[in-house]
Amino acid sequence: MTTLSKNNTAAGSEELPAKLLKPIDLFLRYITSERQLSLHTARNYRRHLTLFAEQMLTFPITEWRLLDAAQVRKLATLNHKQGLSPRSLATKLSALRSFCDYLVLQGDLTANPAKGVSAPRQSKPLPKNLDVDEIHQLLAVSNSEEADDPFLVLRDKAMMELMYSAGLRLDELVNLDLKDVKLREKTMRVIGKGDKQRQLPIGSVAIAALKEWLAVRDEYADSAQPALFVSQLRRRISHRSVQSRMAKWGQQQTLTSHVHPHKLRHSFATHMLESSGDLRAVQELLGHANISTTQIYTSLDFQHLAKVYDAAHPRAKKKRED
């Protein structure tokens, strides 16, 4: 039977009351012998539970059966205030939940007080965006820069202009069909996550790039091909191809950061928010998942979205100034 030596005992645990320490020892014996968990896992559980027990004494609580959900939340808050990261706190609370499940199994607790307590959400760093000058630098591509294959230049410029014009996801760009784009109305229909459709405005600079692309597209696509953007193999362009082409143009245009499709989408969102301050309109344009109700989609008038777009989008403003 696997056992834990005294060397594995957390510092300070010898001073814990037996009513706090003994259940921890029994739990560790249970998970190593009955559940066959590793000695490494048991050591981690011992460290987490011993620290919790030491903190409980300050409440003061001297028995696990006296622990309730409110006190578990206080323990979580205490650890968070002491600088424990959300990830580490989540791990520590997971150990406490497992231990309390064991105590319920043994009849020492009637319910698990840690069951509904979670760590604060971990903040996800936003991807870095390109500033407006970098966007103009990236999109200032011309046939002279890849004269051996103007097809690629026209297609790539149209893809990048359209993606930045409307903040498209990569999947939305790749899946666009000819019928989805209405050049005269300067709008397009995209199908986002969860098969949700939304109508988006297209800026005048993107319209011009699309017209140049469509003038040559039929030379590289079969008549039955519905895709707006095609590869040299005469089929719908792949996600990987879009990624590699954008990265290539980032290098070609001497940008210092790596260019990828989501960076254009994030740049669109950042620039629109900075210019308009209309968070709800930008969320609608992006089709963000955190717009969770149909009412939010339908309550915003499309003309309002188009007005915000025309007034705030850097490429639209640049066209008017020209």
Side-chain angles (χ1 to χ4, degrees):
M1 180 175 67
T2 305
T3 59
L4 292 174
S5 69
K6 289 184 178 180
N7 291 333
N8 295 323
T9 302
S13 63
E14 295 88 347
E15 289 77 30
L16 289 175
K19 288 185 178 180
L20 287 177
L21 185 57
K22 186 176 180 180
I24 295 176
D25 291 334
L26 293 174
F27 170 66
L28 297 176
R29 188 180 304 170
Y30 166 76
I31 64 173
T32 53
S33 61
E34 299 295 328
R35 294 178 53 191
Q36 299 295 306
L37 297 185
S38 71
L39 198 61
H40 175 72
T41 299
R43 290 192 190 104
N44 288 334
Y45 274 125
R46 181 185 288 281
R47 185 176 70 256
H48 296 318
L49 295 173
T50 300
L51 289 173
F52 269 133
E54 290 171 356
Q55 292 170 336
M56 286 165 56
L57 289 175
T58 65
F59 282 7
I61 301 174
T62 57
E63 296 182 51
W64 290 105
R65 67 180 180 83
L66 301 176
L67 187 66
D68 60 28
Q71 291 157 344
V72 173
R73 282 191 287 271
K74 287 181 182 179
L75 287 170
T77 301
L78 175 63
N79 281 273
H80 185 55
K81 287 182 177 178
Q82 290 177 347
L84 199 65
S85 70
R87 183 187 296 271
S88 297
L89 182 54
T91 301
K92 194 171 180 179
L93 286 170
S94 177
L96 183 61
R97 276 192 291 272
S98 296
F99 175 57
C100 290
D101 278 339
Y102 166 78
L103 295 180
V104 171
L105 186 65
Q106 298 302 308
D108 297 328
L109 287 174
T110 56
N112 188 334
K115 205 76 169 180
V117 181
S118 58
R121 287 188 178 183
Q122 299 179 44
S123 59
K124 295 183 178 180
L126 290 172
K128 292 182 179 179
N129 62 284
L130 301 172
D131 62 33
V132 175
D133 289 338
E134 289 174 318
I135 286 290
H136 292 324
Q137 181 180 339
L138 172 67
L139 299 180
V141 299
S142 65
N143 285 337
S144 61
E145 295 172 44
E146 198 166 329
D148 58 330
D149 202 336
F151 155 76
L152 293 176
V153 179
L154 293 175
R155 183 202 63 191
D156 294 351
K157 182 175 175 62
M159 288 194 306
M160 291 189 294
E161 285 284 5
L162 192 59
M163 177 162 275
Y164 177 64
S165 173
L168 298 179
R169 298 181 176 95
L170 174 57
D171 193 60
E172 293 168 349
L173 178 81
V174 167
N175 289 322
L176 276 174
D177 288 337
L178 288 169
K179 62 181 176 58
D180 296 324
V181 177
K182 308 296 183 185
L183 293 182
R184 180 171 297 179
E185 291 83 1
K186 296 185 178 181
T187 64
M188 62 180 161
R189 179 184 67 96
V190 300
I191 301 176
K193 290 183 177 180
D195 291 329
K196 290 182 179 178
Q197 297 184 18
R198 65 188 192 279
Q199 186 184 26
L200 299 174
I202 308 174
S204 55
V205 178
I207 288 286
L210 280 171
K211 286 180 177 178
E212 291 185 358
W213 158 240
L214 291 174
V216 301
R217 175 195 172 278
D218 290 347
E219 300 175 25
Y220 299 89
D222 298 328
S223 58
Q225 175 56 255
L228 175 61
F229 296 112
V230 296
S231 70
Q232 291 173 302
L233 298 177
R234 308 179 72 83
R235 58 188 180 219
R236 188 182 298 273
I237 194 168
S238 69
H239 295 67
R240 186 180 296 273
S241 292
V242 176
Q243 291 168 332
S244 64
R245 293 300 296 175
M246 288 192 182
K248 178 262 179 194
W249 281 114
Q251 296 174 345
Q252 179 93 10
Q253 300 300 91
T254 65
L255 294 178
T256 57
S257 61
H258 174 67
V259 175
H260 53 82
H262 190 71
K263 183 167 285 188
L264 285 185
R265 175 173 163 85
H266 181 62
S267 299
F268 163 86
T270 302
H271 300 162
M272 289 291 287
L273 283 171
E274 288 175 350
S275 298
S276 70
D278 195 331
L279 179 62
R280 196 164 66 126
V282 174
Q283 287 176 331
E284 174 75 0
L285 288 165
L286 289 170
H288 271 160
N290 60 355
I291 301 177
S292 58
T293 64
T294 306
Q295 287 80 4
I296 296 177
Y297 281 104
T298 57
S299 64
L300 291 173
D301 182 73
F302 178 76
Q303 294 302 320
H304 168 64
L305 297 179
K307 187 180 295 183
V308 170
Y309 179 93
D310 288 339
H313 195 283
R315 297 292 275 183
K317 290 194 294 185
K318 184 174 188 297
K319 186 66 176 178
R320 288 197 306 273
E321 292 166 1
D322 292 342

